[in-house]
Tab-separated table of all heavy atoms in Angstrom:
chain	number	residue	atom	x	y	z
A	198	ARG	N	82.133	97.059	108.107
A	198	ARG	CA	81.690	96.147	107.115
A	198	ARG	C	81.009	96.903	105.871
A	198	ARG	O	81.145	96.325	104.755
A	198	ARG	CB	80.578	95.168	107.733
A	198	ARG	CG	80.203	93.988	106.839
A	198	ARG	CD	79.352	92.953	107.508
A	198	ARG	NE	78.056	93.568	107.937
A	198	ARG	CZ	77.745	93.809	109.193
A	198	ARG	NH1	78.578	93.451	110.157
A	198	ARG	NH2	76.567	94.292	109.550
A	199	ASN	N	80.412	97.988	106.088
A	199	ASN	CA	79.790	98.720	105.071
A	199	ASN	C	80.717	99.904	104.508
A	199	ASN	O	80.152	100.815	103.851
A	199	ASN	CB	78.426	99.300	105.571
A	199	ASN	CG	77.383	98.240	105.771
A	199	ASN	OD1	76.809	97.734	104.758
A	199	ASN	ND2	77.232	97.750	106.959
A	200	ASN	N	81.926	99.766	104.811
A	200	ASN	CA	82.843	100.746	104.292
A	200	ASN	C	82.594	102.241	104.673
A	200	ASN	O	82.802	103.123	103.910
A	200	ASN	CB	83.033	100.674	102.729
A	200	ASN	CG	83.484	99.243	102.299
A	200	ASN	OD1	84.419	98.761	102.782
A	200	ASN	ND2	82.733	98.699	101.377
A	201	LEU	N	82.106	102.349	105.849
A	201	LEU	CA	81.739	103.698	106.389
A	201	LEU	C	82.539	104.058	107.637
A	201	LEU	O	82.118	104.965	108.354
A	201	LEU	CB	80.275	103.702	106.718
A	201	LEU	CG	79.305	103.632	105.520
A	201	LEU	CD1	77.929	103.405	105.974
A	201	LEU	CD2	79.369	104.865	104.652
A	202	GLU	N	83.633	103.418	107.766
A	202	GLU	CA	84.535	103.654	108.926
A	202	GLU	C	84.926	105.125	108.910
A	202	GLU	O	84.958	105.781	110.007
A	202	GLU	CB	85.742	102.780	108.946
A	202	GLU	CG	86.548	102.800	110.206
A	202	GLU	CD	87.543	101.690	110.303
A	202	GLU	OE1	87.754	100.883	109.330
A	202	GLU	OE2	88.181	101.496	111.331
A	203	TRP	N	85.192	105.772	107.756
A	203	TRP	CA	85.668	107.175	107.694
A	203	TRP	C	84.450	108.016	108.204
A	203	TRP	O	84.676	109.080	108.813
A	203	TRP	CB	86.009	107.542	106.247
A	203	TRP	CG	84.935	107.378	105.302
A	203	TRP	CD1	84.501	106.280	104.603
A	203	TRP	CD2	84.059	108.408	104.854
A	203	TRP	NE1	83.431	106.609	103.723
A	203	TRP	CE2	83.136	107.925	103.917
A	203	TRP	CE3	83.882	109.787	105.194
A	203	TRP	CZ2	82.134	108.598	103.282
A	203	TRP	CZ3	82.912	110.561	104.582
A	203	TRP	CH2	81.999	109.927	103.668
A	204	THR	N	83.197	107.699	107.876
A	204	THR	CA	82.051	108.473	108.298
A	204	THR	C	81.927	108.388	109.873
A	204	THR	O	81.624	109.393	110.477
A	204	THR	CB	80.771	107.880	107.702
A	204	THR	OG1	80.972	107.722	106.306
A	204	THR	CG2	79.616	108.764	107.912
A	205	TYR	N	82.063	107.220	110.346
A	205	TYR	CA	82.049	107.075	111.880
A	205	TYR	C	83.049	107.963	112.521
A	205	TYR	O	82.785	108.595	113.512
A	205	TYR	CB	82.248	105.639	112.241
A	205	TYR	CG	82.207	105.362	113.705
A	205	TYR	CD1	81.009	105.122	114.394
A	205	TYR	CD2	83.403	105.372	114.503
A	205	TYR	CE1	80.997	104.926	115.728
A	205	TYR	CE2	83.362	105.063	115.828
A	205	TYR	CZ	82.160	104.926	116.481
A	205	TYR	OH	82.133	104.671	117.838
A	206	ARG	N	84.297	108.013	112.036
A	206	ARG	CA	85.392	108.807	112.554
A	206	ARG	C	85.015	110.302	112.481
A	206	ARG	O	85.268	111.063	113.389
A	206	ARG	CB	86.682	108.485	111.943
A	206	ARG	CG	87.296	107.117	112.302
A	206	ARG	CD	88.776	107.074	112.044
A	206	ARG	NE	89.139	107.338	110.667
A	206	ARG	CZ	89.317	106.433	109.717
A	206	ARG	NH1	89.056	105.157	109.937
A	206	ARG	NH2	89.652	106.806	108.532
A	207	LEU	N	84.402	110.668	111.381
A	207	LEU	CA	84.025	112.073	111.118
A	207	LEU	C	82.927	112.527	112.036
A	207	LEU	O	83.029	113.597	112.633
A	207	LEU	CB	83.521	112.240	109.633
A	207	LEU	CG	83.171	113.673	109.314
A	207	LEU	CD1	84.277	114.603	109.431
A	207	LEU	CD2	82.638	113.679	107.814
A	208	ILE	N	81.979	111.632	112.373
A	208	ILE	CA	80.906	111.909	113.339
A	208	ILE	C	81.504	112.138	114.721
A	208	ILE	O	81.056	113.005	115.441
A	208	ILE	CB	79.899	110.766	113.324
A	208	ILE	CG1	79.150	110.752	112.031
A	208	ILE	CG2	78.896	111.019	114.488
A	208	ILE	CD1	78.132	109.662	111.849
A	209	ASN	N	82.478	111.348	115.042
A	209	ASN	CA	83.066	111.364	116.344
A	209	ASN	C	84.210	112.348	116.518
A	209	ASN	O	84.581	112.833	117.615
A	209	ASN	CB	83.590	109.959	116.739
A	209	ASN	CG	82.497	109.015	117.147
A	209	ASN	OD1	82.077	108.990	118.313
A	209	ASN	ND2	82.046	108.228	116.105
A	210	GLN	N	84.673	112.796	115.370
A	210	GLN	CA	85.757	113.815	115.307
A	210	GLN	C	85.467	114.797	114.217
A	210	GLN	O	86.104	114.754	113.131
A	210	GLN	CB	87.151	113.215	115.028
A	210	GLN	CG	87.683	112.327	116.139
A	210	GLN	CD	89.042	111.651	115.804
A	210	GLN	OE1	89.037	110.635	115.227
A	210	GLN	NE2	90.082	112.370	116.113
A	211	PRO	N	84.547	115.689	114.451
A	211	PRO	CA	84.153	116.740	113.432
A	211	PRO	C	85.264	117.497	112.813
A	211	PRO	O	85.212	118.004	111.697
A	211	PRO	CB	83.140	117.636	114.107
A	211	PRO	CG	82.585	116.763	115.221
A	211	PRO	CD	83.765	115.880	115.639
A	212	SER	N	86.366	117.650	113.600
A	212	SER	CA	87.555	118.362	113.212
A	212	SER	C	88.151	117.725	111.965
A	212	SER	O	89.004	118.370	111.310
A	212	SER	CB	88.575	118.484	114.364
A	212	SER	OG	89.007	117.231	114.716
A	213	ARG	N	87.873	116.481	111.644
A	213	ARG	CA	88.417	115.786	110.523
A	213	ARG	C	87.855	116.263	109.214
A	213	ARG	O	88.214	115.821	108.115
A	213	ARG	CB	88.248	114.234	110.607
A	213	ARG	CG	88.981	113.621	111.779
A	213	ARG	CD	88.603	112.139	111.873
A	213	ARG	NE	89.037	111.396	110.698
A	213	ARG	CZ	90.185	110.770	110.538
A	213	ARG	NH1	91.097	110.865	111.474
A	213	ARG	NH2	90.499	110.147	109.427
A	214	ILE	N	86.818	117.139	109.299
A	214	ILE	CA	86.106	117.534	108.036
A	214	ILE	C	86.949	118.152	107.049
A	214	ILE	O	86.829	117.802	105.748
A	214	ILE	CB	84.933	118.521	108.412
A	214	ILE	CG1	84.076	118.783	107.161
A	214	ILE	CG2	85.441	119.796	108.940
A	214	ILE	CD1	83.322	117.583	106.640
A	215	LYS	N	87.980	118.871	107.414
A	215	LYS	CA	88.891	119.482	106.412
A	215	LYS	C	89.672	118.343	105.684
A	215	LYS	O	89.956	118.440	104.477
A	215	LYS	CB	89.884	120.434	107.089
A	215	LYS	CG	89.245	121.720	107.621
A	215	LYS	CD	90.267	122.611	108.344
A	215	LYS	CE	89.527	123.864	108.862
A	215	LYS	NZ	90.565	124.726	109.552
A	216	ARG	N	90.049	117.334	106.371
A	216	ARG	CA	90.796	116.224	105.815
A	216	ARG	C	89.856	115.458	104.879
A	216	ARG	O	90.208	115.091	103.782
A	216	ARG	CB	91.337	115.367	106.857
A	216	ARG	CG	92.112	114.145	106.472
A	216	ARG	CD	92.707	113.392	107.567
A	216	ARG	NE	93.295	112.139	107.181
A	216	ARG	CZ	93.894	111.278	108.021
A	216	ARG	NH1	93.957	111.530	109.345
A	216	ARG	NH2	94.417	110.161	107.589
A	217	GLN	N	88.677	115.190	105.301
A	217	GLN	CA	87.731	114.483	104.556
A	217	GLN	C	87.237	115.122	103.210
A	217	GLN	O	86.996	114.457	102.294
A	217	GLN	CB	86.447	114.047	105.386
A	217	GLN	CG	86.774	113.215	106.635
A	217	GLN	CD	87.309	111.807	106.367
A	217	GLN	OE1	87.547	111.454	105.201
A	217	GLN	NE2	87.543	111.065	107.422
A	218	ILE	N	87.169	116.399	103.291
A	218	ILE	CA	86.816	117.174	102.058
A	218	ILE	C	87.723	116.812	100.884
A	218	ILE	O	87.200	116.782	99.724
A	218	ILE	CB	86.811	118.715	102.347
A	218	ILE	CG1	85.454	119.035	103.221
A	218	ILE	CG2	86.772	119.451	101.046
A	218	ILE	CD1	85.423	120.483	103.628
A	219	HIS	N	89.006	116.708	101.154
A	219	HIS	CA	89.881	116.292	100.114
A	219	HIS	C	89.542	115.039	99.405
A	219	HIS	O	89.798	114.866	98.242
A	219	HIS	CB	91.417	116.213	100.676
A	219	HIS	CG	91.906	117.528	101.182
A	219	HIS	ND1	92.168	118.570	100.220
A	219	HIS	CD2	92.288	117.972	102.394
A	219	HIS	CE1	92.655	119.566	101.002
A	219	HIS	NE2	92.745	119.225	102.238
A	220	LEU	N	88.863	114.181	100.156
A	220	LEU	CA	88.542	112.925	99.566
A	220	LEU	C	87.416	113.051	98.415
A	220	LEU	O	87.296	112.187	97.593
A	220	LEU	CB	87.993	111.882	100.618
A	220	LEU	CG	89.091	111.559	101.738
A	220	LEU	CD1	88.519	110.501	102.631
A	220	LEU	CD2	90.358	111.129	101.135
A	221	VAL	N	86.682	114.095	98.564
A	221	VAL	CA	85.735	114.367	97.465
A	221	VAL	C	86.391	114.553	96.149
A	221	VAL	O	85.953	114.016	95.136
A	221	VAL	CB	84.854	115.614	97.825
A	221	VAL	CG1	83.881	115.941	96.660
A	221	VAL	CG2	84.056	115.419	99.138
A	222	LYS	N	87.481	115.233	96.149
A	222	LYS	CA	88.287	115.425	94.903
A	222	LYS	C	88.793	114.108	94.436
A	222	LYS	O	88.825	113.860	93.233
A	222	LYS	CB	89.492	116.376	95.245
A	222	LYS	CG	90.405	116.614	94.024
A	222	LYS	CD	91.520	117.585	94.379
A	222	LYS	CE	92.388	117.792	93.100
A	222	LYS	NZ	93.476	118.678	93.406
Side-chain angles (χ1 to χ4, degrees):
R198 190 172 63 250
N199 289 280
N200 298 312
L201 293 170
E202 194 167 1
W203 64 274
T204 310
Y205 179 85
R206 290 202 301 268
L207 181 59
I208 292 170
N209 286 275
Q210 294 178 269
S212 60
R213 293 175 64 92
I214 187 65
K215 291 181 181 178
R216 179 176 173 182
Q217 300 292 4
I218 284 174
H219 291 296
L220 300 185
V221 175
K222 182 178 179 181

